[in-house]
Structures are given as C-alpha cells and as structure tokens.
Amino acid sequence: MREILFRGKRKDNGEWVEGYYVCVGGKYHYILTGQIDLMSGYPRFIYCEVIPETVGQYTGLTDKNGKKIFEGDIVRFRTQTSVFKPSFLVMWHEETARFIVAIKDGVRAYPMDKTWKYEIIGNIHDNPELLKGD
C-alpha cells in the first residue's frame, strides 16, 4: 500500500512538518503528526496549524539521498539516457492524475519515474529563485 503523507509550513514558526492533512470548515488547515501526547491526562493527537498554500503531498519517491520528495519540491534529475541541468518543480497533474516534474512555465514536463535519479535542491516556498532563468 502506498504511503499517504503531506507536508506543510507551520503558521506559528515557519518550520516544516509532515503528517496527515486535515482541513476544518475550509478555514483551518492542520497537519496531524501521527504522534500522541500522553502527558495531558488523556491521549490526544499532536497537530500543527499550517499555511494552506504550502501543503504538498508526498509523491511516494525519494531522492538520491533518501529524502522524501513532496509536491512543491524543486529537483534536478537524470534518466538512464539523459542528464537534465535545469531545475524542475514537482507538481500534481490533474488531467493525468499523477505527479510530474515541470519547468515552472509548463513548457517541458515529464511524468515522475521511480527509475530516475532525483536530487532535491529546494522548494517553491523557500527557494523560488531556483526556478528563475531555467
């Protein structure tokens, strides 16, 4: 079974947190960390409010260093026959219902492939400049 996981930037301190995404009433956005607080007298899930624009889903792939690749990450990659120098944005492609890597303007886009070697070099929220000039 594939792992369903999300990442988002915390509202209170700007740190990234991974877990399960929950939206309450279309207004409040949380990541449940999967951890349980047992110190409060009764068990409760630990959760963090996140900035909704930063929430991205885990692709199910890891980069060459073993880091999980999320929607919104910026990667470089190589296939068995080609090395791509530009930076590509990891995004969900609605029409084909799969993750792709694309130049920001969408001119060049490729479906993600588990046989390719990816390297995460940043993400669109912290490092948007990595997509400029490609």
Side-chain angles (χ1 to χ4, degrees), residues 2 14 21 24 36 39 42 51 60 62 77 97 106 110 118 128-129:
R2 72 186 168 101
Y21 175 62
V24 178
I36 297 178
M39 303 304 286
Y42 58 92
I51 303 164
T62 56
F77 67 96
Y110 306 93
Y118 297 95
E129 72 280 358

Side-chain angles (χ1 to χ4, degrees), residues 6-10 15-19 31 33 48-50:
F6 290 85
R7 173 183 75 185
K9 217 171 191 182
R10 291 176 58 146
E15 291 182 12
W16 289 97
V17 62
E18 293 178 13
I31 296 285
T33 65
C48 304
E49 189 170 6
V50 293

Side-chain angles (χ1 to χ4, degrees), residues 75-77 83-88 103 108 134:
V75 298
R76 291 207 171 114
F77 67 96
V83 176
F84 292 86
K85 294 290 184 193
S87 304
F88 286 80
I103 297 286
R108 290 198 321 194
D134 284 18

Side-chain angles (χ1 to χ4, degrees), residues 51-119:
I51 303 164
E53 297 79 25
T54 66
V55 174
Q57 188 173 359
Y58 174 48
T59 64
L61 301 173
T62 56
D63 78 352
K64 68 180 193 172
N65 300 311
K67 284 181 65 175
K68 292 178 181 172
I69 302 174
F70 286 86
E71 182 180 8
D73 279 340
I74 299 171
V75 298
R76 291 207 171 114
F77 67 96
R78 63 184 297 167
T79 67
Q80 293 176 350
T81 58
S82 303
V83 176
F84 292 86
K85 294 290 184 193
S87 304
F88 286 80
L89 179 62
V90 176
M91 34 193 332
W92 178 254
H93 190 254
E94 225 29 76
E95 291 79 24
T96 58
R98 63 179 166 192
F99 288 102
I100 62 170
V101 288
I103 297 286
K104 189 176 180 183
D105 61 12
V107 172
R108 290 198 321 194
Y110 306 93
M112 291 191 81
D113 185 318
K114 65 182 176 184
T115 65
W116 296 354
K117 294 190 186 318
Y118 297 95
E119 178 183 15

Side-chain angles (χ1 to χ4, degrees), residues 2-32:
R2 72 186 168 101
E3 184 176 15
I4 306 296
L5 190 64
F6 290 85
R7 173 183 75 185
K9 217 171 191 182
R10 291 176 58 146
K11 261 189 163 180
D12 60 354
N13 64 12
E15 291 182 12
W16 289 97
V17 62
E18 293 178 13
Y20 309 98
Y21 175 62
V22 176
C23 177
V24 178
K27 185 176 180 182
Y28 302 101
H29 304 266
Y30 300 98
I31 296 285
L32 303 174

